[in-house]
Amino acid sequence: MITQSNFSLIGSDGKLIIGDITFDEKNPNTPIILFVHGFKGFKDWGAHNLVARYFASNGYRYIKFNLSHSGVPVDDLKDVTDMDAFANNTVSKELFDLNAVLDFIEKAYGKDTKVNLIGHSRGGGLSIIEAANDLRINKLITWSAIGDFASLWKKEQETEWKKNGKIFVTNARTKEQMPLNVSLLEDLEENAAALNILDAAKRVNTPWLIIHGDDDVNVPFETAQTLAEANPNSRLVKIEGANHVYGATQPYTNETLPPLLFKVCEKVFMFLGE
């Protein structure tokens, strides 16, 4: 029987990380997949729970979590509504959170536990950096990964950002204006070498599967090609006709995975089994 248990950890700036673990009760000692959501995303977005059930049904323990500054409040996990937390996020805070979850996995399942890491979009960028630096990562899978954290805003916004201390990005789904404090930009400038995704991509030594849709308007397919060229040991899989989220929506009310996202899961399952 597929079941889900919840956990919470102290994340960056003392804010809580809320996560869940999906697994088959009959088969508890299974390899681990850790999923990292993207910018404006969260662990329960769209079809993420169906993805978790797919992998739990196929012999994996699937762990996902909300980054502490994702903007999803701990008492209402259904959407990004805490704009103060969202505004105060930085990439370094997200990496702190990812490491906190990896430490939790190590304590819970033992030092020798290897983690298969899946990152979507900005979470893909985080996962590339983590995999380049962390020996606990067994295999890396990126979905629609960005190649540069600064690609999430327009370069010409940076002058205004430094002047006003804040810019706003539009949530395409809700049309809400979401604030970003200048601390995000300052973090990237101060830690430019450590947070360079393409440089990290060259140093990834674990098997790496790069998945990207050729109809992604958020992160162009060329980004995936650039990442693949940076690391000759990686493998690029194009999902024809797929958008940035492989046909999922928020909310997602179907009881089965979108066909293109199901194809993604199958590609990942085959890769992990090699």
Side-chain angles (χ1 to χ4, degrees), residues 7 47 66 76 83 89 109 112 124 131 158 183 200 202 222 224 269:
F7 66 90
N66 286 338
D76 183 9
M83 291 303 154
N89 199 11
Y109 302 107
D112 295 330
E158 292 181 4
S183 50
K202 294 170 189 168
E222 290 72 35
F269 178 65

Side-chain angles (χ1 to χ4, degrees), residues 30-274:
T30 51
I32 287 172
I33 295 172
L34 176 61
F35 175 76
V36 188
H37 70 75
F39 184 50
K40 297 184 270 192
F42 47 98
K43 73 178 181 69
D44 299 304
W45 190 97
H48 288 337
N49 285 305
L50 289 175
V51 171
R53 290 186 71 84
Y54 170 91
F55 284 105
S57 301
N58 283 288
Y60 288 88
R61 184 177 292 268
Y62 196 91
I63 302 174
K64 54 189 173 64
F65 66 101
N66 286 338
L67 292 157
S68 64
H69 288 71
S70 63
V72 177
V74 296
D75 55 352
D76 183 9
L77 300 174
K78 293 191 289 294
D79 215 337
V80 179
T81 54
D82 182 350
M83 291 303 154
D84 283 342
F86 185 85
N88 280 312
N89 199 11
T90 67
V91 176
S92 291
K93 288 177 183 179
E94 294 190 330
L95 284 168
F96 180 97
D97 291 346
L98 178 50
N99 270 284
V101 178
L102 285 162
D103 290 346
F104 160 75
I105 291 170
E106 188 178 316
K107 282 197 187 96
Y109 302 107
K111 258 191 160 16
D112 295 330
T113 302
K114 292 289 190 183
V115 177
N116 300 296
L117 191 59
I118 300 178
H120 175 249
S121 194
R122 182 153 106 175
L126 290 176
S127 298
I128 292 165
I129 289 173
E130 193 64 39
N133 298 306
D134 196 326
L135 295 173
R136 294 175 292 189
I137 307 307
N138 180 46
K139 290 186 177 182
L140 172 65
I141 302 104
T142 53
W143 297 352
S144 319
I146 61 170
D148 182 353
F149 291 109
S151 65
L152 297 165
W153 54 83
K154 295 181 177 69
K155 184 75 180 160
E156 55 267 26
Q157 288 179 288
E158 292 181 4
T159 306
E160 171 209 341
W161 205 353
K162 287 177 177 173
K163 192 172 120 190
N164 299 334
K166 188 175 286 193
I167 58 167
F168 292 87
V169 292
T170 304
N171 184 326
R173 177 169 52 86
T174 64
K175 305 299 181 251
E176 186 171 11
Q177 293 297 300
M178 306 172 80
L180 295 174
N181 290 345
V182 74
S183 50
L184 172 58
L185 181 61
E186 290 168 346
D187 176 50
L188 283 176
E189 290 180 344
E190 286 163 18
N191 301 290
L195 301 180
N196 186 305
I197 297 170
L198 276 180
D199 281 355
K202 294 170 189 168
R203 302 197 315 274
V204 171
N205 283 323
T206 58
W208 178 11
L209 181 66
I210 301 170
I211 294 182
H212 214 105
D214 66 354
D215 199 20
D216 188 336
V217 296
N218 301 80
V219 181
F221 183 74
E222 290 72 35
T223 301
Q225 292 173 309
T226 302
L227 289 170
E229 284 161 11
N231 191 313
N233 299 315
S234 65
R235 186 187 314 166
L236 174 58
V237 171
K238 174 163 70 175
I239 306 294
E240 300 212 353
N243 64 7
H244 190 60
V245 289
Y246 308 98
T249 54
Q250 172 62 21
Y252 186 79
T253 53
N254 289 13
E255 290 177 14
T256 55
L257 282 163
L260 292 173
L261 186 52
F262 180 71
K263 183 184 276 191
V264 167
C265 290
E266 287 194 306
K267 299 279 186 194
V268 173
F269 178 65
M270 286 167 61
F271 172 70
L272 291 177
E274 289 172 6

Side-chain angles (χ1 to χ4, degrees), residues 6-25:
N6 301 313
F7 66 90
S8 62
L9 307 168
I10 301 296
S12 181
D13 291 351
K15 289 187 76 67
L16 277 182
I17 295 166
I18 302 294
D20 56 56
I21 307 165
T22 306
F23 60 99
D24 187 342
E25 286 179 335

